[in-house]
Amino acid sequence: MSVSSAARKVAEESVIVFENLIGGKWQPASDGRTIDMVSPSDGQVFARIARGTKADVDAAVKAARHAFEEGAWSKLTATERGRLMTKLGEAILAHHEELSQLEARDCGKPMKQARADITAAARYFEFYGAAADKVHGETIPFLDGYMVTILREAKGVTGHIIPWNYPAQMFGRSLAPALAMGNAVVMKPAEEACVAPMRLAQLAQEVGFPPGALNVVTGIGEEAGAALSAHPGIAFLSFTGSPEVGTLVQKAAAENHIGCTLELGGKSPQIVFEDADFDAAVPVVVNAIVQNGGQTCSAGSRVLVQKSIYDKFVTAVTARFKQLRVGSHAMDLDCGPLISANQKKRVLGFIEQAKKDGVPVLAEAQLAEGTPGNGFYVAPVLFGPVPRENQLACEEVFGPVLSIIPFEDEADAIRLANSTDYGLVAGIWTRDGGRQMRVAKKMHCGQVFVNGYGAGGGIELPFGGVKKSGHGREKGMEALHEFSHTKTIVFKHG
Ligand code: NAD
């Protein structure tokens, strides 16, 4: 695996080491502490990152402030920023296999998923690089003798706290729109998986991002994450992770009177009506929960099936579940391990509780022969019919556990789909055009797929939730508005 100057490979241990990127320099944590990174596939330490401190976060915010106000970054035109971002997209594609290997090892995800994630990371920089000089202001008709113009401006230094499930994609999703608008950024990636983002930061430096435009401080959530979200020099926060930490981040933002976007997960329904294209729906429904081991905020974790086709549908999904193969990232099967021993324990807790509650198990997949012994594996489980009040019908598991729930008619399906605390994504399967539109409009969520389902990807498509899934929108042109604000200038010309 090739890693260049800033990431030193410690030969005697074969461990990849990344330090913090602050003001264009790679440096250890202020107190020298580090965190071992474990590969979920085999439980082995393969990398080491800095355990960033409050002082490191402060230094990163100051470096970003300097870059934003007077450094080389502040002097770039929108076109020049866009060009740099496009170059980063190209560099990501040029290092596609190396980055995919890092991401797969770090997260345990099958290689095909890691490769798709790296392609998506590149797409974020292509998309927002091309958009950087296309965000226009406005003029407003006002009183006679006046001319009013609205500028759209960067917010300043933006803080980005990202999770471990799609580290490389999250790097692109969170940072690219902020950079396109001219903000200088400080990122705190997740301590469970962040090696590919560090390599991406290194590539950004290599393609010429000026010092301080893009800073990364790794570390523990309660330490570096809390320090970043509370820092008074931050003008806006972007957070993806758990609802509990999202609440803390939002409180910290409130103390500093700044805004934030929160993307906090979901319990997304896939609704299958009796007139659905059955053969098209089955593989998509299964993939929507198996992808990334179910560790996807927009995983389709509830399948709502019309009673008239319930038995037939359950038979088809059960058969497919039984064929699923689980193994290490390198084995590149349907499903890899979960991210950590903790996440495995959490997901097994949901499975055991559901079994104790008497929820029928329809199918359990198996670990493939040759799967390493020390990884954090949980084979996919299919439960159904899941009672509507059971926790499997309401709570986010964040693992490969699919709940099937029958419904009576359209009104019942809508009620059931909207019945959880979450509202991120919904899928609707029906051939009836009127119903497609009626049900889509009734969904309490930020994104609806009709006769399909997409978790992740879709850089062009605005994405975000309602209720406990959070607020604000990422992706698409909407993200550019989140990372900028307007300034109204009124000219009196007489
Ligand atoms: P988390 O919310 O604890 O961590 C997400 C990020 O927040 C990480 O970078 C972490 O270091 C940081 N963080 C943690 N505590 C912090 C604090 N006090 N202040 C500031 N930042 C802090 O999420 P997790 O432990 O990684 O996962 C727990 C659950 O969250 C999962 O089981 C899942 O349900 C959910 N989750 C959702 C998503 C999503 O995409 N919506 C992603 C990951 C996890």
Side-chain angles (χ1 to χ4, degrees):
M1 188 179 305
S2 82
V3 280
S4 61
S5 56
R8 289 176 283 110
K9 197 165 183 178
V10 180
E12 66 281 10
E13 298 177 56
S14 297
V15 167
I16 301 162
V17 178
F18 275 104
E19 297 173 335
N20 290 324
L21 177 60
I22 300 176
K25 295 199 175 72
W26 293 87
Q27 42 195 278
S30 62
D31 61 8
R33 288 200 290 174
T34 59
I35 302 171
D36 284 343
M37 305 296 285
V38 167
S39 175
S41 287
D42 57 12
Q44 299 297 309
V45 173
F46 79 102
R48 188 161 298 138
I49 57 168
R51 181 166 169 171
T53 63
K54 197 173 168 186
D56 296 323
V57 168
D58 188 50
V61 174
K62 285 192 175 124
R65 173 59 54 187
H66 182 267
F68 179 72
E69 283 179 354
E70 50 195 305
W73 182 242
S74 69
K75 305 205 167 40
L76 296 185
T77 63
T79 308
E80 288 165 337
R81 285 199 306 271
R83 205 172 278 145
L84 264 184
M85 295 179 63
T86 306
K87 271 195 195 170
L88 179 52
E90 286 165 2
I92 295 170
L93 292 179
H95 293 81
H96 194 276
E97 188 56 23
E98 175 205 341
L99 288 161
S100 304
Q101 295 279 353
L102 277 180
E103 185 79 333
R105 194 161 173 204
D106 203 12
C107 304
K109 57 183 75 193
M111 280 305 303
K112 54 175 124 19
Q113 179 65 49
R115 291 191 180 106
D117 289 0
I118 300 305
T119 304
R123 275 291 295 137
Y124 278 108
F125 287 94
E126 289 167 354
F127 181 86
Y128 288 110
D133 58 3
K134 292 169 192 67
V135 182
H136 304 158
E138 292 180 63
T139 57
I140 291 193
F142 191 49
L143 303 172
D144 191 28
Y146 285 84
M147 160 80 183
V148 180
T149 185
I150 308 279
L151 298 184
R152 189 155 272 285
E153 296 185 326
K155 295 202 165 190
V157 178
T158 52
H160 305 255
I161 300 175
I162 63 166
W164 42 258
N165 52 347
Y166 292 89
Q169 278 210 50
M170 290 290 166
F171 178 97
R173 180 170 118 186
S174 195
L175 296 191
L179 290 165
M181 290 310 301
N183 299 282
V185 303
V186 180
M187 164 167 282
K188 208 303 280 176
E191 52 271 47
E192 293 85 354
C194 62
V195 173
M198 300 314 284
R199 181 72 181 116
L200 290 169
Q202 206 175 51
L203 289 176
Q205 218 185 2
E206 286 170 19
V207 302
F209 273 77
L214 193 166
N215 306 274
V216 189
V217 177
T218 52
I220 306 288
E222 293 80 358
E223 299 170 3
L228 182 59
S229 47
H231 198 291
I234 294 291
F236 188 79
L237 282 164
S238 159
F239 173 81
T240 301
S242 62
E244 297 71 27
V245 177
T247 305
L248 296 177
V249 168
Q250 182 153 258
K251 282 184 178 163
E255 290 292 334
N256 288 324
H257 307 286
I258 60 167
C260 59
T261 52
L262 299 179
E263 206 274 87
L264 310 176
K267 190 72 188 175
S268 297
Q270 309 188 71
I271 311 173
V272 186
F273 287 95
E274 60 192 1
D275 66 341
D277 180 342
F278 194 90
D279 294 338
V282 170
V284 176
V285 159
V286 172
N287 187 57
I289 188 65
V290 170
Q291 177 183 321
N292 213 40
Q295 302 168 116
T296 304
C297 49
S298 49
S301 52
R302 290 185 294 154
V303 187
L304 318 183
V305 185
Q306 194 150 19
K307 270 193 178 150
S308 47
I309 57 160
Y310 183 80
D311 290 342
K312 185 177 166 206
F313 193 81
V314 162
T315 305
V317 174
T318 300
R320 211 166 172 97
F321 247 74
K322 285 185 177 156
Q323 288 164 5
L324 292 172
R325 293 165 316 146
V326 183
S328 70
H329 65 278
M331 291 162 80
D332 201 12
L333 304 176
D334 301 301
C335 213
L338 302 187
I339 190 72
S340 62
N342 269 349
Q343 191 66 9
K344 176 177 174 178
K345 191 170 158 213
R346 181 174 185 274
V347 171
L348 288 177
F350 273 98
I351 293 171
E352 278 153 27
Q353 186 58 49
K355 286 178 179 171
K356 267 190 214 149
D357 293 344
V359 185
V361 174
L362 294 167
E364 267 179 286
Q366 300 296 323
L367 301 194
E369 207 174 307
T371 301
N374 294 327
F376 312 128
Y377 297 93
V378 174
V381 190
L382 177 67
F383 284 97
V386 177
R388 295 177 181 208
E389 65 288 354
N390 188 272
Q391 67 169 3
L392 272 195
C394 317
E395 289 178 32
E396 184 179 47
V397 176
F398 227 62
V401 180
L402 183 59
S403 301
I404 305 198
I405 309 169
F407 69 84
E408 296 285 347
D409 54 19
E410 189 176 310
D412 190 32
I414 292 168
R415 216 171 18 247
L416 186 53
N418 291 333
S419 66
T420 73
D421 292 340
Y422 291 97
L424 192 56
V425 176
I428 302 167
W429 293 87
T430 175
R431 288 188 168 99
D432 178 335
R435 177 184 277 156
Q436 292 169 359
M437 192 53 78
R438 276 195 308 276
V439 178
K441 285 167 83 174
K442 290 278 185 194
M443 291 295 101
H444 298 167
C445 63
Q447 218 176 45
V448 179
F449 288 90
V450 178
N451 294 334
Y453 199 85
I459 282 91
E460 305 82 355
L461 316 177
F463 177 76
V466 299
K467 305 195 282 184
K468 203 174 167 183
S469 291
H471 55 73
R473 292 292 175 266
E474 299 185 295
K475 303 188 178 178
M477 297 300 278
E478 279 213 41
L480 297 167
H481 284 189
E482 297 282 1
F483 287 109
S484 59
H485 52 217
T486 57
K487 179 185 280 170
T488 307
I489 306 179
V490 182
F491 298 90
K492 186 167 189 305
H493 55 74

